Amino acid sequence: MRLSVLDLVPVRTDQSTADALAATLRLAQNADRLGYTRYWVAEHHNMPSVGATSPPVLIAYLAAQTTQLRLGSGGVMLPNHAPLAVAEQFALLEAAAPGRIDLGIGRAPGSDPVTSYMLRGAAGRESALREQDIAQFPDYLDHVRAMMSRNGVRVQLRDGDYVLKATPAAATEPRLWLLGSSLYSARLAAAKGLPYVFAHHFSGKGTEEALELYRSQFVPSELAAEPTTFLTVNAVVAETREEATALILPNLQMMARLRTGQPLGPLQLVEDAAGAELTPPQQHIVESGLRRAVLGTPADAADQLRALATRFDVDEMMVHPVASAHLGTDQRTAPGREKTLELLAKELF
């Protein structure tokens, strides 16, 4: 089984953004050393607990300081950006780290309406433009892919064709993936013959139906000859299940606050989460998250990953290490997240 990593660059209550980035770099370098396949970073905006706002910037930062990992976006939220800008960014990343770049693209905004409005600048003032971007998402996918290619895309003008390229002389192209959390994305990925990843780590609902639809309707393409997918899952692994549970509670409590409309803050430390008071709906969300996560001792966690891989018929699992830290931890490190990757590697590699 291949293992990969999803990283949102969590920012704890004891960390600055610089601290969180230093911890992410250490985690990526450990994943590189341990033999993980790929390392993806996300695009979320104006969240107190998430430092990952610009995937291409983070990918460049990590690619310069790792050697083997495939670096990618999980994902770039295309409606926030001009397709040409995305194509240019990832064509340059591929030129700098040939054969190591994945471009995962999603359709969601990755932000709240106010932040989305500000992110889009002048275009954000026109809601019709936003709806137009969503409606044209399938075409924008094609445009990004074509502009990253060696031949570029031909734009028909009245006085002849105009060739538009993301980079003057592409030798290789990033691997394009479609990301999603709905049947819409599964159907679109199948129709376009794209590799596809369903956001199983987010809610755990609808994964089987989406993957079945994707596989049954898949149309082979030069991007993928057959359905290509893997599974994302939240994970915390420690020497004991009790320690793993303590480390995951801050993340689950944060998700409970998010889903019940409560104000968010940085990711709490273990000691603060241990004394948190939750409403019954919030406690239900936490308990559901405990059941869905890969959680526990190395042997138990490895068995859980194997079972998920068998259930969803995948040969790659992307773990989202969501462990927080104890009071007094070096702010520029994330020992619980590092330990999760190390213990899984020992069991599965």
Side-chain angles (χ1 to χ4, degrees):
M1 181 195 304
R2 295 192 302 273
L3 289 181
S4 295
V5 182
L6 174 65
D7 184 4
L8 272 61
V9 191
V11 182
R12 306 189 306 256
T13 54
D14 64 337
Q15 288 180 311
S16 66
T17 303
D19 294 331
L21 283 174
T24 274
L25 176 58
R26 281 177 54 104
L27 189 68
Q29 289 174 329
N30 279 343
D32 199 32
R33 172 181 57 83
L34 292 166
Y36 281 75
T37 299
R38 63 187 93 238
Y39 196 102
W40 282 9
V41 293
E43 179 186 342
H44 291 285
H45 300 280
N46 199 37
M47 295 186 68
S49 61
V50 177
T53 57
S54 178
V57 172
L58 270 174
I59 290 167
Y61 175 65
L62 298 176
Q65 300 178 82
T66 55
T67 59
Q68 303 296 324
L69 283 172
R70 291 192 66 93
L71 283 304
S73 55
V76 166
M77 301 296 104
L78 191 54
N80 292 336
H81 311 283
L84 175 58
V86 174
E88 287 180 336
Q89 291 161 358
F90 279 80
L92 279 176
L93 287 169
E94 176 67 19
R100 295 183 58 204
I101 303 300
D102 293 329
L103 170 53
I105 287 180
R107 190 173 66 120
S111 62
D112 60 82
V114 174
T115 305
S116 182
Y117 174 93
M118 297 301 293
L119 182 67
R120 293 173 56 79
R125 299 188 183 99
E126 301 291 341
S127 61
L129 289 178
R130 163 77 181 169
E131 295 303 319
Q132 177 181 335
D133 284 343
I134 292 175
Q136 293 185 329
F137 178 74
D139 293 333
Y140 288 169
L141 272 177
D142 294 338
H143 296 165
V144 169
R145 189 245 167 168
M147 288 186 289
M148 292 190 302
S149 70
R150 298 179 186 183
N151 296 327
V153 64
R154 291 187 178 274
V155 181
Q156 292 184 346
L157 303 177
R158 284 182 297 180
D159 55 353
D161 289 350
Y162 182 86
V163 178
L164 187 57
K165 295 183 178 182
T167 193
T172 57
E173 300 174 24
R175 184 99 193 258
L176 185 61
W177 295 75
L178 183 61
L179 316 182
S181 57
S182 69
L183 295 182
Y184 169 89
S185 59
R187 188 174 292 110
L188 181 61
K192 291 187 176 295
L194 285 171
Y196 174 63
V197 179
F198 187 86
H200 180 78
H201 71 282
F202 186 69
S203 70
K205 296 180 180 179
T207 306
E208 286 174 309
E209 186 179 3
L211 293 186
E212 181 180 353
L213 176 65
Y214 169 65
R215 288 169 172 143
S216 66
Q217 297 188 7
F218 183 83
V219 178
S221 74
E222 60 184 39
L223 296 179
E226 60 186 13
T228 304
T229 188
F230 57 77
L231 202 65
T232 60
V233 63
N234 294 329
V236 176
V237 186
E239 298 296 347
T240 67
R241 182 174 176 86
E242 290 73 22
E243 174 63 5
T245 301
L247 288 167
I248 200 175
L249 279 179
N251 175 271
L252 296 181
Q253 291 177 4
M254 178 185 66
M255 293 305 300
R257 287 190 288 273
L258 173 66
R259 293 177 181 175
T260 55
Q262 299 303 303
L264 299 179
L267 184 67
Q268 289 188 323
L269 297 173
V270 169
E271 288 76 10
D272 296 322
E277 295 185 4
L278 304 179
T279 65
Q282 290 172 340
Q283 186 61 41
H284 175 75
I285 293 170
V286 168
E287 291 170 358
S288 177
L290 287 171
R291 290 192 298 269
R292 290 198 316 272
V294 168
L295 181 70
T297 65
D300 287 346
D303 286 344
Q304 293 166 36
L305 281 173
R306 292 189 191 100
L308 283 168
T310 299
R311 175 184 171 189
F312 293 104
D313 190 22
V314 296
D315 58 10
E316 179 176 344
M317 297 292 296
M318 177 171 274
V319 295
H320 177 211
V322 294
S324 186
H326 288 277
L327 183 66
T329 298
D330 182 343
Q331 290 96 331
R332 296 175 67 82
T333 69
R337 297 204 295 150
E338 292 179 20
K339 197 73 171 177
T340 292
L341 299 193
E342 291 169 3
L343 293 176
L344 287 176
K346 287 180 181 178
E347 289 289 325
L348 293 168
F349 293 162

